[in-house]
Amino acid sequence: MTVPLAAERLARIGAEDPEVAAILAAELRRQQDTLELIPSENVASPAVLDAVGSWLTNKYAEGTPGRRYYGGCEEVDRLERLCQERARALFGAEHANVQPHCGSSANLAAYAVFCQPGDTILGMDLGHGGHLSHGSPVNFSGMLYRAVHYGVDPATEQLDYDQVQARALEVRPRVLVAGASAYPRILDFARLAAIANEVGAAFVVDMAHFAGLVAGGAHPSPVPHADLVTLTTHKTLRGPWGGMVLCRAAHAAKVDKAVFPGYQGGPLLHAIAGKAVALHAWGQPAMADYAQRVVANAGALARGLSDRGLRLVSGGTDTHLLLVDLRPLGLTGRAVQDALDRVGITVNRNAIPFDEASRFNPSGIRLGSPAVTTRGMGEAEMAEIADLVAAVVHHLDDADVAARVRARARALCDAHPLPY
Ligand code: DSN
């Protein structure tokens, strides 16, 4: 199966390189035929894909608009300024750097603005739902800086702000970083900013996961509270793969220097074109509706799973994602992820707070609504998806259940095709 847009592109690639074209075609078929529930993934629009696949990949433009180290930058200067303007307007930020290649690059730059190597950063524990680049010992952020962590309360499985405050007073970080990859609740940005202020730390928020919800007004914005905000553009924001930094004007020069020449060389101008196109789309009323539907759909999925006997970490979700604790069912994340893969439902295994299992085979799975919502699914479909996921979880090795679920998942996909 390929729809016309993709068919034309695949034919062009295939004329030069049939092997790569075949892999791209197979991956397109996989995306079309599976229910994508990984909360950090989405479906970029054809216009975003076309912008990223453009001739801007031919251009070098180290530097910032008007201050480049290469000739021939007039047009890409206009593009990058436009993208910056759109980012500032959409999020109400004083300054935007749209060059980071990814969220980790954006976070590297963020820390460099406020810290020297060896300084202390305080972030959410990866095992409690934080991000790898918020000080995990296996990541640059935990190697370059003295990283200490806060986590969730064992009873509520929600952030314990008193613990964050106590930890901040104890370790006096240069940066307090907030934001998470597997935390289903809204963060209290005002409280976190007050804690940072109390200990003289810079307050950095990584809104990679919920940037699109903020853009669409379905989630509070960290921008008024934080000294600096990082984000990725390919998750709820529905853009191309990439990162971004938003900050107060006072930090603009340091941010720009940290991104280039600090941590990156030439910007990916084709990605910046895709970012600009994605940001433009958020000006349309349909996108605010999309953000609301993402949250409503995650809520419907959470209720459906909970009604069918699955335990949700923290009891539910306020956002686009949820985390299921498989321990009460005696299952592991790996087994469930694999069983769901076999029926055309894609999730990722994930640690849950206070998980004693290994990171490679943790006790949870993480699910989310952004991609299926982009495909036009609503709460009725989410209830059906909950039914399908629960059926697999409760009958992991039952071939009849697997066949029935696979057919129903495929029917949902066929009814909501990708836009390519
Ligand atoms: N690795 C990303 C995720 O899947 O959530 C975190 O940015």
Side-chain angles (χ1 to χ4, degrees):
M1 186 266 6
T2 53
V3 281
L5 271 175
E8 195 186 308
R9 291 169 151 227
L10 287 170
R12 243 190 333 256
I13 299 167
E16 277 199 32
D17 188 338
E19 249 182 305
V20 166
I23 293 170
L24 290 184
E27 170 60 10
L28 177 61
R29 195 170 310 114
R30 187 197 69 78
Q31 291 187 15
Q32 167 58 37
D33 293 347
T34 57
L35 290 170
E36 182 53 71
L37 299 180
I38 294 174
S40 46
E41 295 190 13
N42 213 325
V43 181
S45 72
V48 166
L49 292 196
D50 284 344
V52 174
S54 71
W55 38 93
L56 292 186
T57 203
N58 301 340
K59 187 74 196 100
Y60 243 116
E62 283 175 7
T64 49
R67 290 171 57 86
R68 307 283 194 189
Y69 291 81
Y70 294 79
C73 289
E74 317 78 60
E75 304 306 338
V76 296
D77 275 2
R78 285 206 298 146
L79 172 76
E80 189 170 340
R81 284 198 181 103
L82 181 64
C83 190
Q84 290 170 344
E85 272 164 37
R86 288 178 177 174
R88 285 198 307 264
L90 182 63
F91 294 111
E94 291 176 8
H95 178 71
N97 186 305
V98 298
Q99 294 189 0
H101 302 333
C102 59
S104 292
S105 281
N107 287 338
L108 261 172
Y111 304 141
V113 169
F114 303 110
C115 292
Q116 295 297 320
D119 282 348
T120 302
I121 60 170
L122 176 61
M124 189 168 179
D125 193 327
L126 180 62
H128 286 217
H131 276 282
L132 192 64
S133 57
H134 291 194
S136 164
V138 295
N139 181 261
F140 71 84
S141 52
M143 298 175 191
L144 265 183
Y145 301 104
R146 175 178 167 256
V148 281
H149 294 104
Y150 54 84
V152 298
D153 177 85
T156 63
E157 296 173 316
Q158 300 200 30
L159 211 57
D160 178 347
Y161 293 94
D162 291 337
Q163 188 214 84
V164 180
Q165 184 183 26
R167 204 83 176 101
L169 285 166
E170 178 195 336
V171 303
R172 298 266 159 189
R174 297 298 294 256
V175 167
L176 172 64
V177 55
S181 67
Y183 181 70
R185 299 298 181 175
I186 286 172
L187 298 168
D188 185 342
F189 299 124
R191 177 86 201 267
L192 290 162
I195 294 169
N197 193 40
E198 186 182 356
V199 299
F203 182 39
V204 170
V205 176
D206 178 344
M207 66 170 180
H209 261 265
F210 50 90
L213 305 184
V214 171
H219 189 289
S221 172
V223 172
H225 303 282
D227 294 291
L228 185 152
V229 173
T230 61
L231 62 139
T232 53
T233 47
H234 49 280
K235 298 189 176 87
T236 47
L237 199 63
R238 260 167 78 167
W241 245 95
M244 217 177 261
V245 177
L246 308 171
C247 65
R248 302 209 167 124
H251 306 305
K254 278 190 163 182
V255 164
D256 290 351
K257 212 171 152 195
V259 174
F260 170 85
Y263 287 112
Q264 291 186 175
L268 307 178
L269 293 158
H270 55 302
I272 290 175
K275 290 172 188 177
V277 171
L279 292 169
H280 181 64
W282 283 98
Q284 296 158 18
M287 293 301 275
D289 179 58
Y290 166 72
Q292 307 290 340
R293 284 188 296 113
V294 166
V295 175
N297 281 349
L301 183 61
R303 283 191 299 281
L305 293 174
S306 188
D307 290 349
R308 288 164 182 79
L310 276 67
R311 194 187 89 76
L312 302 181
V313 170
S314 85
T317 179
D318 306 321
T319 64
H320 61 298
L321 72 80
L322 41 128
L323 203 56
V324 176
D325 176 4
L326 297 165
R327 291 173 308 181
L329 303 170
L331 298 172
T332 65
R334 184 76 197 259
V336 172
Q337 177 192 299
D338 289 349
L340 288 168
D341 260 341
R342 290 194 291 273
V343 299
I345 299 177
T346 314
V347 303
N348 74 280
R349 61 187 189 277
N350 212 98
I352 53 169
F354 309 103
D355 205 339
E356 284 174 6
S358 84
R359 285 284 161 83
F360 200 66
N361 190 7
S363 304
I365 51 169
R366 186 181 68 148
L367 303 89
S369 57
V372 288
T373 306
T374 301
R375 289 179 76 161
M377 297 186 207
E379 292 186 53
E381 286 85 0
M382 299 314 285
E384 183 172 359
I385 292 171
D387 199 36
L388 301 182
V389 170
V392 171
V393 168
H394 290 306
H395 306 278
L396 215 56
D397 297 314
D398 186 323
D400 291 339
V401 169
R404 184 176 59 82
V405 170
R406 192 181 308 111
R408 284 172 65 195
R410 180 65 187 269
L412 280 170
C413 293
D414 289 348
H416 300 88
L418 293 179
Y420 312 137

